[in-house]
Amino acid sequence: QTKWDLPAAYPASNFHTENLTQFAADVDKATGGKLKITVHANASLFKANEIKRAVQGGQAQIGEVLLVNFENENPIYGADGLPFVASSYPAARKLADAQKPALDKILGAQGMKVLYTVAWPPQGIYVNKEITAVADMKGLKWRAYSPATSKIAELVGAQPVTVQAAELSQAMATGVVNSYMSSGSTGYDTKTYESIKYWYDVQAWLPKNAIIVNKKSFDALDAATQAAVVKAAADAEVRGWKVSEEKNEFYKKALAEKGMKIMTPSAKLVADLRQVGVIMKADWIKRAGADGEAVLSAYEKSSTAKK
Amino acid sequence: MRKLLDGLYDGAAWLGAIFMVGTLVSVLAGVLDRQFAWSLRGTDMYAGYCMAACGFLALAHTLKKGEHIRVTLILNAVKGPTKRAIEIWALAAASLLSMLFAYYSVKLSINSWQFNDVSTGNDATPLWIPQITMGVGAVVLMIAFIDELVLEIMGRRVQVDSDEALHHE
Amino acid sequence: MSDIAITTLLILSLFAILGSGVWIGLTLSGVAWIGMQLFSSRAAGDAMAVTIWGSSSSWTLTALPLFVWMGEILFRTKLSESMFKGLAPWVSRLPGGLLHTNVIGCTIFAAVSGSSAATCATIGKMTLPELARRGYPEDITIGSLAGAGTLGLLIPPSIIMIVYGVSADVSIAKLFIAGIFPGLILASLFSGYLIVWALMNKGKIPPPDAPMTFTQKVYESRHLIPVVLLISAVLGSIYAGVATATEAAAIGVVGSLVLSLVQRSLSWTTFKESLLGATRLYCMIALILAGAAFLTLSMGYIGLPRHLAEFVSGMGLSPFLLIVALSLFYIILGCFLDGISMVVLTMGVILPTVQTAGLDLIWFGIFIVIVVEMAQITPPVGFNLFVLQGMTKKEITYIARVTLPFFFLMCGMVLLLWFFPQIATWLPSKM
Ligand code: NA
Ligand code: NA
């Protein structure tokens, strides 16, 4: 019998974690208990930014990471964090496929591989006033938690503010922060509706969680067990994307019930924001080089092919 | 030799103290940045690195000043050779543990460099750089424990009761 | 090996290594190492380094060294002396006299700091020498400080509430509000105990000063102005949206430096002393925190807390018995783990059971905070005990013993909370 530890950063009640638990149970069943995966939710084993390294170093055989978190290390990880490149579930799916070979390449070089990815619901703008154009966003105190979100703040003329996730609720209540970009689920989980009243459903990007596995540990499994893991992962991916889409609707409704105004952005706001997206994309390609260009051209090819 | 070692412990501690000031400055910079929009990046992360450096670099000095706490119930109840035997065991165990700590702390920094482990925050610092302070602090602590062990075996160890106790007269 | 055998072996090795005088932080690492090597299939070394680095450089912890430094600066000013001058006329005729400054000081400082160790260290730095100088007995002084220091967790802001709020998916703002009444009630319980103790131990407390008229008392209160200014600056910075709860510690340090400058007690020597003193005290705590973080990781790998939690959850208890069982469970766990680890390691298992039992999650959060407070003062791993051992050089067993009555008061607080849940739930329901 083999035992794997799976560190994950989100609470047990989060849909990603529930999906992981199901995945572990599926593997257990399919292998007849030969491979037991223990899910350590809520960052109880390793913290979000330590998980990739833990899998790489073999302290955990498998783990869940938010890919965009690692864009400092390699811009490829940030492909799904580019604003207005892939703004819907079908588009995000295509981007995921286009990003996969490049991810396999960089993670493979570090002795890891991707088992599956699941998107978070699309990112919108939480803000304490009505906005109709990017000009209205000037001077907003904008929570920036990564280089990309800081860059967006700069481009829209907002002031990037550093506040840790743990202090976000309090920071919003006291006005340290009055805007940030995130999905409906984050706003619901952090009770953003207690202090911020508008959410603009701009669908900027759909960041993904990836389940990554240490290659040595994976190769050490027998062929049947490997196949069972791959099969369970494929199932988890399908299930996860479906649940994510359902949750997106659920969270929007839930936010509205809590008094949050769910706003459809004006045409002007969308056009302005797309400008921001164009600048960031150009900047990203410069940093990501040939691999980055390959990801985007593969994605563009697949999205035009269908039309 | 004695002078060199004591200089090492105190020097590291002073460096640690400077990092305490660094923690304060980083946190304050973050607060002021919001007021004056200096567009500083990653002050929160730098505060964390400074705090870690402060804690690790001063480990040996704090030991030498007798401020790392331990349970001395049994040690105080016994005398003579028994006491000496227990002291030697405690120092040997601590030396061993601090060796493990030092070895893996140094390895952490090297691995971070090999893994290209970069901070996920706004600072994008390659993590091996701040992690050096942990490696150095742990190695100096290890030296301090071995130093104490050797002194104890040679019967020359003087236990400092820190001046801190005087504050509470 | 069964869980019971593993637990027994680990606890025995913990007591053996601690008892033989190995430094506490290293002992925790040692036990974690033994546990991981023997009872999990993972190698300990690299995981240890990753975890220790992660917890030691975590931004949320930065308030602790800064508050420790603030305490060291204030200790070298006339602030504590003037605080006592200002408070004495009000409390000195109360049985227990100036002992109440421990409780009042911690209650007020708890509104500034989210950590119990920081509250204990900062207030202790001011009250311990003053109370000793005035002839108050050491045991009750230390005990009441260790006990009252834990209020840092119950009175908002509070680190542990944030951790619980995120795990349990409840409003952190509501949790903060919910902690106010229980915090004040617990503080009154502490003060009440001091009164009873003083009545039963007449003669141990120095005689009160001569009675004063009300106007005299108010006039004497002018000595409180510096303290009030400092606390207002720190609290004000939080509520005006200038600083977050963690950053407020930095405001505290700057405020204390300004204060000592104004009082002319700031010189290069006192600055240097305060800085090195704070570095050492924080360094002592940091070594233990590092060991505790590694022990938590080891427990996560072995799965002991999770198994125990599963066991309690599986017993199918009535709500009251569930709370009794959980209290015992967390008290035992709290002897060996720090509060945040306890919550993080067990919430995934415990919460569904709590929800099935129909308990209110805000109420349960306050319950958790109180049991985590208990963990701060139970040996062998209790951070308030460590802080006080560092400051007084007393044996940890002595500190634990003199703090025991306050542990029982907290047990009483849990019962009170069970029979009068409105203590916690009424205020948030008005939001
Ligand atoms: Na508090
Ligand atoms: Na304890």
Side-chain angles (χ1 to χ4, degrees):
Chain A
Q1 195 201 30
T2 311
K3 282 184 177 171
W4 278 7
D5 288 297
L6 194 166
Y10 307 96
S13 57
N14 183 279
F15 77 91
H16 285 287
T17 315
E18 284 175 349
N19 195 29
L20 276 179
T21 314
Q22 181 67 48
F23 164 73
D26 288 352
V27 169
D28 189 10
K29 213 160 117 200
T31 61
K34 258 169 79 184
L35 175 60
K36 287 243 181 253
I37 301 179
T38 310
V39 179
H40 301 269
N42 213 0
S44 61
L45 205 54
F46 291 101
K47 290 197 227 96
N49 51 3
E50 297 165 357
I51 293 175
K52 176 169 167 284
R53 188 212 162 99
V55 175
Q56 192 173 354
Q59 285 88 50
Q61 295 69 27
I62 181 170
E64 183 191 41
V65 296
L66 176 66
L67 286 172
V68 286
N69 255 349
F70 299 95
E71 67 179 321
N72 283 341
E73 185 190 319
N74 191 322
I76 294 294
Y77 291 117
D80 56 11
L82 284 171
F84 307 105
V85 168
S87 311
S88 65
Y89 275 94
R93 210 48 253 246
K94 279 182 187 139
L95 181 60
D97 292 339
Q99 192 188 8
K100 181 130 197 314
L103 276 182
D104 278 338
K105 189 174 144 197
I106 50 174
L107 282 169
Q110 297 183 326
M112 290 176 282
K113 63 185 235 148
V114 180
L115 276 184
Y116 69 89
T117 59
V118 171
W120 285 90
Q123 309 285 297
I125 299 171
Y126 290 96
V127 59
N128 66 342
K129 59 171 190 179
E130 280 191 59
I131 49 175
T132 55
V134 158
D136 296 337
M137 296 166 76
K138 209 171 167 57
L140 282 176
K141 294 194 169 183
W142 178 278
R143 178 176 181 239
Y145 50 90
S146 64
T149 47
S150 302
K151 183 84 190 161
I152 296 177
E154 263 169 40
L155 290 171
V156 301
Q159 186 191 341
V161 168
T162 304
V163 168
Q164 296 277 325
E167 294 192 315
L168 182 57
S169 325
Q170 219 196 339
M172 289 186 296
T174 56
V176 169
V177 168
N178 56 26
S179 55
Y180 71 102
M181 246 173 142
S182 198
S183 64
S185 60
T186 310
Y188 187 77
D189 291 346
T190 56
K191 315 276 185 279
T192 296
Y193 47 78
E194 285 174 358
S195 32
I196 285 182
K197 291 300 166 207
Y198 300 95
W199 186 61
Y200 283 83
D201 189 10
V202 297
Q203 308 190 353
W205 70 89
L206 289 83
K208 293 191 295 289
N209 277 0
I211 306 332
I212 54 175
V213 60
N214 183 297
K215 255 204 283 196
K216 263 192 213 146
S217 309
F218 186 79
D219 293 341
L221 301 173
D222 62 50
T225 312
Q226 286 184 355
V229 171
V230 171
K231 166 81 172 49
D235 292 347
E237 186 161 52
V238 173
R239 195 170 53 228
W241 280 79
K242 194 167 152 263
V243 173
S244 178
E245 206 163 349
E246 286 162 11
K247 283 278 168 181
N248 185 30
E249 294 311 311
F250 163 80
Y251 281 122
K252 277 198 265 183
K253 246 183 240 146
L255 278 178
E257 273 166 26
K258 295 283 184 185
M260 179 80 77
K261 293 200 176 77
I262 309 293
M263 312 291 280
T264 310
S266 70
K268 171 90 171 90
L269 181 62
V270 171
D272 288 356
L273 285 172
R274 283 193 181 275
Q275 278 304 309
V276 171
V278 169
I279 298 172
M280 291 196 55
K281 189 166 129 186
D283 181 57
W284 183 82
I285 290 173
K286 231 187 283 163
R287 285 182 293 123
D291 281 355
E293 249 174 298
V295 169
L296 284 188
S297 66
Y299 165 67
E300 271 148 23
K301 210 184 280 169
S302 69
S303 32
T304 45
K306 256 263 160 103
K307 275 178 191 169
Chain B
M1 186 66 179
R2 183 75 266 142
K3 251 191 172 162
L4 188 75
L5 285 174
D6 288 341
L8 175 68
Y9 308 143
D10 292 348
W14 268 109
L15 207 56
I18 291 168
F19 276 112
M20 172 76 92
V21 179
T23 312
L24 174 70
V25 170
S26 308
V27 175
L28 280 180
V31 173
L32 294 174
D33 174 56
R34 278 200 298 270
Q35 299 306 311
F36 305 109
W38 292 336
S39 34
L40 300 176
R41 294 280 184 276
T43 48
D44 52 342
M45 307 304 277
Y46 294 126
Y49 305 147
C50 287
M51 171 180 65
C54 167
F56 290 122
L57 286 171
L59 281 171
H61 167 84
T62 307
L63 173 74
K64 283 285 180 177
K65 286 269 177 181
E67 289 194 29
H68 279 306
I69 59 174
R70 58 199 293 214
V71 180
T72 48
L73 211 61
I74 295 174
L75 273 170
N76 289 341
V78 294
K79 279 199 183 66
T82 325
K83 187 180 169 102
R84 221 167 99 86
I86 298 179
E87 275 289 2
I88 289 177
W89 143 257
L91 282 166
S95 301
L96 177 71
L97 286 165
S98 58
M99 269 184 239
L100 286 171
F101 181 42
Y103 174 79
Y104 284 102
S105 300
V106 172
K107 191 173 169 216
L108 175 83
S109 189
I110 295 173
N111 276 347
S112 296
W113 178 63
Q114 287 166 340
F115 287 4
N116 187 23
D117 200 2
V118 179
S119 158
T120 59
N122 259 319
D123 57 323
T125 311
L127 285 176
W128 66 269
I129 299 173
Q131 282 167 353
I132 289 176
T133 59
M134 175 164 151
V136 171
V139 168
V140 178
L141 178 69
M142 176 188 81
I143 295 172
F145 267 120
I146 296 173
D147 179 13
E148 291 281 278
L149 178 62
V150 170
L151 289 175
E152 178 70 42
I153 291 172
M154 291 171 21
R156 288 210 315 243
R157 178 158 171 256
V158 194
Q159 290 211 51
V160 195
D161 266 328
S162 85
D163 56 339
E164 204 68 6
L166 298 176
H167 296 336
H168 301 302
E169 284 174 335
Chain C
M1 219 171 177
S2 77
D3 282 344
I4 296 175
I6 298 177
T7 314
T8 319
L9 195 128
L10 288 181
I11 291 178
L12 283 180
S13 52
L14 178 66
F15 280 110
I17 303 175
L18 267 187
S20 63
V22 178
W23 287 261
I24 292 175
L26 291 173
T27 302
L28 299 182
S29 299
V31 173
W33 189 284
I34 295 172
M36 237 180 116
Q37 292 294 17
L38 293 185
F39 308 119
S40 87
S41 40
R42 314 281 165 253
D46 293 315
M48 167 184 81
V50 171
T51 295
I52 289 182
W53 170 257
S55 70
S56 308
S57 62
S58 155
W59 184 81
T60 38
L61 191 67
T62 50
L64 183 60
L66 293 179
F67 275 132
V68 167
W69 190 10
M70 175 177 164
E72 291 282 340
I73 298 167
L74 292 182
F75 162 71
R76 290 174 175 79
T77 64
K78 297 182 199 109
L79 191 83
S80 41
E81 198 191 322
S82 52
M83 184 173 98
F84 276 81
K85 267 191 206 154
L87 280 177
W90 302 99
V91 296
S92 72
R93 307 212 55 88
L94 210 64
L98 287 170
L99 282 175
H100 294 279
T101 50
N102 267 341
V103 179
I104 298 172
C106 286
T107 307
I108 295 172
F109 195 75
V112 172
S113 132
S115 126
S116 141
T119 307
C120 203
T122 316
I123 295 300
K125 206 73 204 175
M126 296 197 279
T127 59
L128 285 178
E130 277 293 322
L131 287 175
R133 204 171 57 80
R134 287 160 192 257
Y136 282 84
E138 202 160 32
D139 48 359
I140 191 78
T141 306
I142 294 178
S144 57
L145 178 62
T150 65
L151 289 169
L153 300 176
L154 195 51
I155 294 172
S158 159
I159 297 172
I160 193 77
M161 283 183 186
I162 294 174
V163 172
Y164 172 83
V166 173
S167 322
D169 193 17
V170 294
S171 162
I172 291 159
K174 280 191 180 168
L175 272 175
F176 277 7
I177 299 288
I180 295 176
F181 273 144
L184 293 178
I185 290 172
L186 190 54
S188 321
L189 284 180
F190 290 159
S191 269
Y193 173 76
L194 288 178
I195 291 174
V196 172
W197 184 90
L199 290 175
M200 286 167 57
N201 293 274
K202 283 208 173 112
K204 284 197 180 176
I205 298 274
D209 308 334
M212 287 185 191
T213 64
F214 184 75
T215 354
Q216 276 174 318
K217 284 182 182 176
V218 172
Y219 182 66
E220 279 299 300
S221 299
R222 73 185 187 283
H223 294 294
L224 288 176
I225 293 173
V227 185
V228 171
L229 278 180
L230 183 63
I231 299 271
S232 326
V234 178
L235 266 184
S237 73
I238 298 177
Y239 290 97
V242 173
T244 66
T246 307
E247 294 163 342
I251 311 282
V253 174
V254 174
S256 318
L257 285 174
V258 170
L259 203 73
S260 56
L261 202 63
V262 171
Q263 291 191 342
R264 295 172 197 286
S265 44
L266 186 68
S267 66
W268 174 239
T269 317
T270 56
F271 178 80
K272 221 168 56 178
E273 279 174 359
S274 75
L275 181 59
L276 271 182
T279 303
R280 283 197 296 265
L281 182 54
Y282 172 66
C283 185
M284 180 274 279
I285 302 173
L287 182 63
I288 300 175
L289 281 175
F294 181 28
L295 187 60
T296 301
L297 178 84
S298 173
M299 288 296 138
Y301 274 120
I302 305 173
L304 271 183
R306 195 175 56 239
H307 296 164
L308 260 169
E310 278 163 0
F311 171 72
V312 173
S313 291
M315 289 199 294
L317 298 169
S318 70
F320 178 70
L321 286 179
L322 178 68
I323 287 300
V324 172
L326 284 178
S327 306
L328 287 175
F329 166 63
Y330 281 113
I331 287 171
I332 295 169
L333 212 54
C335 289
F336 304 99
L337 292 177
D338 73 287
I340 292 181
S341 313
M342 262 162 55
V343 174
V344 169
L345 284 172
T346 59
M347 270 311 132
V349 177
I350 294 291
L351 277 175
T353 316
V354 168
Q355 276 169 309
T356 318
L359 294 169
D360 181 79
L361 283 184
I362 298 267
W363 180 89
F364 188 69
I366 300 303
F367 164 79
I368 286 289
V369 173
I370 296 173
V371 292
V372 165
E373 282 193 38
M374 294 181 189
Q376 301 287 331
I377 53 169
T378 51
V381 181
F383 275 86
N384 283 19
L385 305 181
F386 296 155
V387 167
L388 283 173
Q389 182 177 354
M391 294 195 333
T392 63
K393 305 291 163 197
K394 293 277 172 201
E395 198 62 61
I396 191 165
T397 40
Y398 168 83
I399 300 172
R401 189 158 44 79
V402 299
T403 313
L404 195 63
F406 296 88
F407 172 81
F408 288 125
L409 288 172
M410 289 180 205
C411 295
M413 185 67 211
V414 170
L415 282 178
L416 213 56
L417 195 66
W418 173 262
F419 289 109
F420 305 98
Q422 303 84 351
I423 298 173
T425 54
W426 182 75
L427 211 49
S429 74
K430 295 283 140 199
M431 275 173 76

